[in-house]
């Protein structure tokens, strides 16, 4: 499996058809693990880091047959490729920007990614389309078990898994759900909902995780603490809150359709008009317009439009992907033109 | 001729095909005249005003056969009809908003309109499509002569025609040209050009005359003073300046096409995308978008679009016309929806 193939392939967190996929893009479970008897990654000397990276690569490829995962070394990888992996949510911004030997194992479907030498020695994540908390956890747990047959984890009988950052101690798990909430944004209820969410020890983040703004009305909701709670407790909390948010979003959409149909359609169709006509468009405006178009398709107001194309564009219009597809480094101005061209082409506009 | 037919018919100042019509919408000549031996309109008592109005109607209809013009009395005319006449440039905002007996004679092609009891007893105007200064003046002069066979004007051998406002004394003529100058606006040269224009005793106004903003990049350039100059002097000054502005605008369009083709096309095609997709749109945004679309068609970048439809929409999307076509009084919100619907329909969008 080559990186170039992986970077143009589909992404499971944008695949339509999952449960509640009109609102929930994807479910992710991430586990943080460290190898017993070794300093945390940030305290490794360069040669120790290199040795651990190689050792983890071997262990992971042994745990998961090479046909199931491919290894990509980050050290020396072109910036554009690292950027694309971040845009695909396959590695963290920290791993991309980091120094020294570090890598990632990715399966061909891109559901599974295991980072080595990030903040923790091992960061394992699984994505599923739509809302699939239990299934995703079960799959992550299984991969974790297979790795554990090769690696002894640092584990405290009282605290649980030990991690570089105290917020991850315990289960080492973060379960998160990526939601598209344009209804709550348009009806100005989003802040209220999120205040309620944070009272339940859940965190709200933007499309690209911690510290990123919610763009395209996409939000990630995840557990904040990992200590003193079992995996199933964490999943239960999320599993109880998400259906409520789903209900609020559906209600907001109903209110818009009933009380302000013209305002709603205006947003949807203007977005569609701009996506299919603009000759230069920024990354941020693209997400805003895609969000409105996605809402239009999911509310059956914008017809004859392939939701798969809209979903895909959320990813393929990111700066890294635009350049990767063009096979050239582009200035921001050039990217904006290439992005507009690509969008029109993908949406069948002339 | 009924007012309702007149209000939905075509308008000569928007008719394509005139000389330089890619930039010059129309040429107008207006003459201010007063009847000898009577106080100016503002000093007439109500009964004197009524009597003069009736007298002028008779004189004008005698001068110009009834088949050539129809008379419309403003006193008692519904507000919506008065508004439409203003939007068509057939009467002034002052006549529409005024009090007491006052009227207007309009010919079936709407080139000619003669207001009675406006600021002056008689305000005669002729519109021609495109740039036609001499032809328009000749036609106005001919109509003026015919009226003078029925009416004795107040005239001073030293000053010329006497008018209610000193700025009109002399020829009583205002010659003006309506220009579409998006190139100079986009390249930010419009202010510079207008500073040069004002040094030549010419005035620059917006689409709806004195005190209105230039909307849709449409400007009217006219002579400022009327005293101490002959009609032909005034026409000569305008006739010398307009070709220079035409050249500047053409140059600006060339610069845009050569140096910023993507920026230019983005403006043009976004405008087209919004015009054909919006579900609610304000009067002001409409003019901005129509201006960009008009530029696109005239520069042959936006193809397969009827320039006649674009021109027509400059007028038919005004608040009065939108309501007149719907046959109902509409709130601003309702107008914005009706406007968007009408534009999509007129442009053949679904």
């Amino acid at each position: 499996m080559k990186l170039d193939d992986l970077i143009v392939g589909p992404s499971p967190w944008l695949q339509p058809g999952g449960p509640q996929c009109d609102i929930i893009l994807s479910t992710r479970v991430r586990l943080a693990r460290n190898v017993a008897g070794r300093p945390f990654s940030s305290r490794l000397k360069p040669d120790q880091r290199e040795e651990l990276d190689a050792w983890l690569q071997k262990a992971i490829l042994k745990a998961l047959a090479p046909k199931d995962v491919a290894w990509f070394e980050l050290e020396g990888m072109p910036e554009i490729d690292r950027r694309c992996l971040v845009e695909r949510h396959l590695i963290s911004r920290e791993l991309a920007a980091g120094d020294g030997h570090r890598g990632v194992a990715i399966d061909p479907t891109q559901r599974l990614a295991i980072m080595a030498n990030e903040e923790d020695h091992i960061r394992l994540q699984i994505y599923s389309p739509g809302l699939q908390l239990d299934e995703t956890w079960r799959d992550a747990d299984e991969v974790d078990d297979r790795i554990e047959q090769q690696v002894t984890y640092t584990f405290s009988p009282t605290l649980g898994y030990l991690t570089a950052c105290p917020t991850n101690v315990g289960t080492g798990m973060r379960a998160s759900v990526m939601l598209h909430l344009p209804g709550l944004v348009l009806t100005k209820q989003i802040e209220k909902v999120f205040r309620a969410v944070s009272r339940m020890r859940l965190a709200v983040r933007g499309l690209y995780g911690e510290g990123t703004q919610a763009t395209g009305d996409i939000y990630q909701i995840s557990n904040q603490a990992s200590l003193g709670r079992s995996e199933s407790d964490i999943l239960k909390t999320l599993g109880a809150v998400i259906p409520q948010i789903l209900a609020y979003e559906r209600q907001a959409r109903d209110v818009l359709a009933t009380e302000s149909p013209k305002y709603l359609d205006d947003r949807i169709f203007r977005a569609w008009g701009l996506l299919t006509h603009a000759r230069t468009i920024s990354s941020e405006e693209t997400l805003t317009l895609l969000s409105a178009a996605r809402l239009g398709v999911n509310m059956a107001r914008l017809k004859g439009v392939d939701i798969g194309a809209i979903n895909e564009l959320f990813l393929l219009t990111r700066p890294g992907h635009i350049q990767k597809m063009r096979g050239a480094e582009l200035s921001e101005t050039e990217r904006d033109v290439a992005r507009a061209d690509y969008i029109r082409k993908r949406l069948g506009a002339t």
Side-chain angles (χ1 to χ4, degrees), chain A:
Chain A
M1 189 168 58
K2 282 187 194 153
L3 191 68
D4 282 6
D5 300 334
L6 193 128
I7 284 172
V8 296
S11 211
W13 59 276
L14 287 171
Q15 203 174 294
Q20 318 287 355
C21 69
D22 57 330
I23 294 173
I24 307 219
L25 289 168
S26 62
T27 306
R28 183 182 81 130
V29 167
R30 182 269 278 159
L31 302 174
R33 301 288 186 255
N34 288 277
V35 183
R38 308 229 185 189
F40 286 130
S41 293
S42 64
R43 313 200 63 178
L44 291 172
K45 288 178 193 138
D47 58 330
Q48 290 179 308
R49 191 183 173 92
E50 183 173 357
E51 189 272 331
L52 178 61
D53 184 46
W55 187 85
L56 283 170
Q57 176 181 356
K58 215 171 287 173
I60 289 167
L61 293 180
K62 199 168 172 193
L64 309 160
K67 72 165 178 58
D68 292 337
V69 284
W71 183 268
F72 301 101
E73 175 57 38
L74 268 284
E75 180 71 356
M77 182 186 285
E79 196 266 336
I80 185 77
D81 290 352
R82 284 180 277 141
R83 194 166 183 172
C84 284
L85 290 175
V86 172
E87 289 174 355
R88 293 196 155 245
H89 294 271
L90 290 170
I91 64 171
S92 62
R93 287 180 297 158
E94 291 69 25
L95 194 79
D99 264 329
H101 285 266
R102 64 209 190 281
V104 62
I106 301 171
D107 88 309
T109 69
Q110 306 185 33
R111 277 195 72 207
L112 169 66
I114 307 165
M115 293 188 280
N117 273 335
E118 210 250 23
E119 187 180 285
D120 295 297
H121 295 157
I122 294 175
R123 286 276 179 109
L124 179 171
Q125 71 167 23
I126 296 229
Y127 268 104
S128 306
L131 181 61
Q132 302 194 55
L133 279 166
D134 293 333
E135 300 82 346
T136 312
W137 158 242
R138 198 186 52 219
D139 292 348
D141 193 32
E142 194 199 307
V143 174
D144 189 40
D145 286 348
R146 284 164 73 180
I147 295 174
E148 209 169 1
Q149 288 168 14
Q150 306 298 327
V151 179
T152 308
Y153 291 150
T154 51
F155 185 83
S156 146
T158 48
L159 294 172
Y161 295 100
L162 300 180
T163 54
C165 175
T167 55
N168 292 313
V169 169
T171 60
M173 179 173 93
R174 174 161 285 167
S176 66
V177 172
M178 203 183 284
L179 304 102
H180 182 226
L181 302 174
L184 290 172
V185 173
L186 288 178
T187 55
K188 303 191 197 313
Q189 297 176 83
I190 196 89
E191 293 299 334
K192 201 178 65 187
V193 170
F194 288 161
R195 276 197 301 276
V197 164
S198 8
R199 281 196 292 271
M200 315 207 50
R201 294 173 75 197
L202 297 174
V204 180
R205 295 183 173 80
L207 176 53
Y208 284 97
E210 215 153 350
T212 66
Q213 260 212 308
T215 33
D217 306 321
I218 293 178
Y219 298 86
Q220 298 185 61
I221 295 182
S222 61
N223 61 304
Q224 225 156 7
S226 165
L227 183 65
R229 312 172 71 195
S230 70
E231 287 86 352
S232 67
D233 275 353
I234 292 170
L235 295 171
K236 216 176 283 172
T237 309
L238 259 181
V241 168
I242 299 297
Q244 287 182 39
I245 300 179
L246 276 174
Y248 288 140
E249 171 65 20
R250 293 231 159 82
Q251 200 175 28
R253 294 181 184 191
D254 284 348
V255 166
L256 285 167
T258 314
E259 292 176 15
S260 335
K262 287 293 171 187
Y263 164 76
L264 175 62
D265 280 342
D266 193 53
R267 276 198 77 96
I268 293 167
F269 286 94
R270 277 176 183 254
W272 183 251
L274 290 176
L275 287 168
T276 52
H277 287 83
R279 260 56 183 173
T280 167
I281 191 166
S282 74
S283 180
E284 198 181 320
E285 186 187 4
T286 300
L287 288 180
T288 304
L289 299 180
L290 286 173
S291 172
R294 191 177 193 278
L295 178 68
V297 177
N298 281 330
M299 291 185 77
R301 301 181 87 90
L302 178 61
K303 304 204 172 138
V305 173
D306 173 23
I307 189 74
I310 301 282
N311 278 3
E312 225 179 275
L313 284 173
F314 272 93
L315 171 61
L316 299 182
T317 56
R318 303 294 81 217
H321 277 78
I322 283 292
Q323 295 177 86
K324 191 77 194 171
M325 288 187 296
R326 280 287 165 115
E329 210 173 299
L330 303 175
S331 70
E332 194 179 329
T333 311
E334 291 167 333
R335 283 204 303 272
D336 290 352
V337 171
R339 180 178 297 114
D341 288 348
Y342 184 74
I343 295 170
R344 290 201 315 283
K345 202 175 125 195
R346 187 71 187 79
L347 297 179
T350 47

